[in-house]
Amino acid sequence: MVRLVRDSFAVVEPQADQVGQFFYGMLFSIEPSAREMFPANMQVQRSRLLRALVHVVQMVDRPEDLVPFLRQLGRDHRKFGVISSHYEAVGMALIAAVKRFAGDAWSDEVERAWAEAYTIMARAMLDAAAADDGPASWPAQVVDHERLGWDLAVVRVRPDYPLVYKPGQYLSVEVPQRPRLWRYFTPANAPSPDGVIEFHIRGVENGWVSRSIVAHAKVGDRWRLGPPMGRIGVDRASGRDVLMIAGGTGVAPMRSIIDDLAQWGDNPHVHLFTGGRVRADLYDLPHLQNVAVTNPWLTVTPVLESDPDAYGVEHGTLADIVTRYGAWPDRDVLVAGSPGMIRSTVSRMLVAGTPLDRITYDPFSLD
């Protein structure tokens, strides 16, 4: 099953746009009610479909990673009002789309493999959704919007009722400026007594949601937040020290974890490499250095790619600098940042000898 699914997907992947268009056309034909769950402009949504499929296909033979991911997706999809008939329609549309563009790579055997794979995925998501008795989403209000630059803002929101998450997890977010365009952002603080959640949001190129938040979000706006997701975190009881690698606003989950660890007296040693292109990208460095001053378990190393005159930093890519320090074989490694940064860093670490089972990162969805 795994080989058949992967081989046929490799054939259709270069035709991503056409696959996405056909899939959604088929889905809305089979289940017209599903159209209300999606934004009016489907251009971005089609590319998000392919990225999600790529991630699932890559993990299809690693159930220990795939099943928790699917269960989180199932809980997250409750916010759309998804029911079992929607899953059936998605499966029919997905198989029809792959079949349409797979050409000679398609056969009855391949179709059975896709049907089996999708059934496993859908069942994991449905079971998780049925077992979750918490809210499907949390209404929240923006209580602060601090713009740090033309493309960067810190936004603080307070949910109407408690939203429990683990430091390092991320949340799906819907904002009034872009209805039905849900995006994933990571809290940059550990859960706090007042319930306020802090997000660090950079407006990425062609980012409909992120740019609208940076430029137009204001105090009083009403947001919706989905349930927490993600695997990044620190097990204080493991006895292993931790390596954190953060590019840009990928520092947010690391900051959340460090914020939580700072409440304890005894912690594993944490070495954080935080990187960017120029000094302005290290916007949170003063805060992290202040935490390190009073917490000897924390070491912070700033890294810059394109600012050769900057002092007090390492120069190069995060992949360059981290592997220059060694393979880190005895550490739990957490990586967060852009998809390109994660790919290059993880690849370089594997070549350097870092064990794959020690590296944790979450699938990152571009805006």
Side-chain angles (χ1 to χ4, degrees):
M1 180 190 75
V2 172
R3 179 183 57 80
L4 292 172
V5 169
R6 277 190 172 151
D7 289 351
S8 55
F9 189 81
V11 174
V12 305
E13 189 173 358
Q15 307 170 79
D17 288 342
Q18 299 97 307
V19 174
Q21 290 177 11
F22 187 89
F23 166 79
Y24 282 108
M26 181 66 70
L27 173 61
F28 299 150
S29 174
I30 297 171
E31 186 66 57
S33 67
R35 184 64 184 88
E36 300 177 3
M37 301 177 185
F38 296 92
N41 188 323
M42 293 293 294
Q43 181 178 355
V44 175
Q45 187 65 38
R46 285 195 293 270
S47 66
R48 286 166 65 85
L49 163 70
L50 184 70
R51 287 196 300 274
L53 285 175
V54 168
H55 185 72
V56 170
V57 169
Q58 287 173 337
M59 296 200 303
V60 75
D61 58 348
R62 291 168 21 221
E64 70 281 0
D65 292 326
L66 179 59
V67 172
F69 174 71
L70 292 172
R71 292 184 65 83
Q72 288 188 81
L73 281 182
R75 290 190 292 269
D76 187 56
H77 277 58
R78 293 172 62 232
K79 65 177 182 268
F80 298 118
V82 173
I83 56 177
S84 58
S85 64
H86 294 133
Y87 280 95
E88 295 170 10
V90 167
M92 294 171 62
L94 175 60
I95 291 173
V98 177
K99 179 179 181 179
R100 167 105 177 186
F101 293 93
D104 293 340
W106 194 260
S107 65
D108 290 344
E109 187 180 14
V110 171
E111 184 164 347
R112 285 193 295 272
W114 272 94
E116 181 182 352
Y118 182 77
T119 299
I120 293 170
M121 291 186 285
R123 176 49 53 195
M125 294 175 68
L126 278 164
D127 288 348
D132 193 341
D133 56 2
S137 65
W138 284 256
Q141 181 168 311
V142 175
V143 296
D144 187 41
H145 179 275
E146 179 184 1
R147 196 159 180 177
L148 302 184
W150 72 272
D151 65 343
L152 180 65
V154 173
V155 183
R156 299 175 180 89
V157 304
R158 179 181 289 112
D160 291 1
Y161 37 90
L163 195 169
V164 179
Y165 62 93
K166 296 177 182 178
Q169 287 189 304
Y170 58 92
L171 311 172
S172 54
V173 173
E174 182 191 38
V175 301
Q177 289 81 9
R178 293 289 186 265
R180 292 184 288 180
L181 278 176
W182 290 82
R183 293 296 181 267
Y184 293 120
F185 298 113
T186 306
N189 64 309
S192 60
D194 63 4
V196 170
I197 300 173
E198 177 178 314
F199 294 105
H200 297 179
I201 299 174
R202 187 178 297 280
V204 301
E205 185 176 359
N206 299 320
W208 285 34
V209 176
S210 60
R211 288 199 167 189
S212 70
I213 292 174
V214 172
H216 303 297
K218 59 185 184 300
V219 172
D221 280 355
R222 300 290 294 175
W223 288 16
R224 271 209 300 161
L225 310 178
M229 303 174 65
R231 302 184 304 151
I232 289 180
V234 169
D235 179 5
R236 295 180 61 252
S238 72
R240 292 187 296 271
D241 290 335
V242 179
L243 170 64
M244 296 180 172
I245 310 169
T249 53
V251 75
M254 312 308 180
R255 189 184 195 269
S256 176
I257 294 168
I258 290 169
D259 186 26
D260 179 62
L261 292 177
Q263 303 175 46
W264 304 87
D266 184 24
N267 285 312
H269 184 76
V270 176
H271 194 145
L272 167 65
F273 288 84
T274 176
R277 292 178 298 103
V278 297
R279 175 71 74 171
D281 292 335
L282 303 180
Y283 64 93
D284 205 44
L285 182 59
H287 169 79
L288 294 167
Q289 289 175 328
N290 285 337
V291 176
V293 167
T294 55
N295 292 275
W297 48 266
L298 176 63
T299 300
V300 179
T301 300
V303 179
L304 292 178
E305 289 184 38
S306 308
D307 198 345
D309 297 327
Y311 60 91
V313 303
E314 296 273 12
H315 294 280
T317 67
L318 281 163
D320 291 335
I321 304 305
V322 169
T323 53
R324 187 184 303 165
Y325 275 67
W328 309 90
D330 300 323
R331 300 261 184 153
D332 286 334
V333 182
L334 311 179
V335 187
S338 69
M341 172 264 167
I342 292 174
R343 281 194 300 270
S344 63
T345 302
V346 172
S347 296
R348 287 282 295 279
M349 295 195 73
L350 293 176
V351 170
T354 309
L356 177 60
D357 60 359
R358 288 290 175 85
I359 302 175
T360 302
Y361 59 92
D362 284 320
F364 188 99
S365 180
L366 287 174
D367 191 1

